[in-house]
Amino acid sequence: QVQLVESGGGLVQPGGSLRVSCTASGNLSRIYAMRWYRQAPGKQREWVATITNSGNTNYADSVKGRFTISRDNAKTTVYLQMNSLKPDDTAVYYCNAGVILGIDSWGQGTQVTVSS
């Protein structure tokens, strides 16, 4: 069992930056990867970025070059640094943990709004 809590969302001007955080607790030894997803109103949930336990990263084409996923193992926290934000980035951002011998765990999400 893994619990995830997102934080750091808010209102940002277009072109601005924001960093959202995800703190994990529980049976952390079962986590093999951490992921960020997002979902805008009326839209399908969209995969954004992945980081594995070995530190490998991957990004959706829509955010590549603008977003960076990282992990602070000492803090048991995963981050998503978002730069050059656009209105299309507006969504609820969800943290996801890939769990060995279990179903993925999801946080409650944090709202990111990009607007002038």
Side-chain angles (χ1 to χ4, degrees), residues 5-6 9 13-14 17 27 31 41 44 46 60 63 66-67 74 76 81-83 86 88 90 92 94 101 103-104 115:
V5 179
E6 299 95 338
Q13 300 280 341
S17 298
N27 194 356
I31 300 175
Q44 296 288 324
E46 174 190 22
V63 306
R66 299 188 297 120
F67 290 11
T76 319
Q81 177 67 46
M82 301 178 287
N83 298 326
K86 303 182 292 184
D88 285 347
T90 296
V92 177
Y94 294 94
L101 299 178
I103 61 174
D104 287 5
S115 176

Side-chain angles (χ1 to χ4, degrees), residues 57-113:
T57 60
N58 202 7
Y59 300 90
D61 288 342
S62 59
V63 306
K64 192 171 186 178
R66 299 188 297 120
F67 290 11
T68 302
I69 188 171
S70 61
R71 187 170 192 171
D72 183 348
N73 289 322
K75 301 291 186 180
T76 319
T77 302
V78 174
Y79 305 95
L80 185 68
Q81 177 67 46
M82 301 178 287
N83 298 326
S84 301
L85 283 162
K86 303 182 292 184
D88 285 347
D89 296 318
T90 296
V92 177
Y93 282 72
Y94 294 94
C95 183
N96 167 267
V99 181
I100 300 172
L101 299 178
I103 61 174
D104 287 5
S105 182
W106 293 87
Q108 291 299 118
T110 185
Q111 176 71 49
V112 174
T113 302

Side-chain angles (χ1 to χ4, degrees), residues 11-74:
L11 176 63
V12 190
Q13 300 280 341
S17 298
L18 192 69
R19 188 179 73 168
V20 292
S21 303
C22 172
T23 299
S25 61
N27 194 356
L28 305 183
S29 64
R30 292 184 177 270
I31 300 175
Y32 64 87
M34 298 292 294
R35 311 175 182 98
W36 284 99
Y37 288 76
R38 65 186 182 185
Q39 187 168 25
K43 303 290 183 62
Q44 296 288 324
R45 185 167 295 186
E46 174 190 22
W47 168 76
V48 175
T50 297
I51 186 167
T52 68
N53 285 344
S54 63
N56 293 330
T57 60
N58 202 7
Y59 300 90
D61 288 342
S62 59
V63 306
K64 192 171 186 178
R66 299 188 297 120
F67 290 11
T68 302
I69 188 171
S70 61
R71 187 170 192 171
D72 183 348
N73 289 322

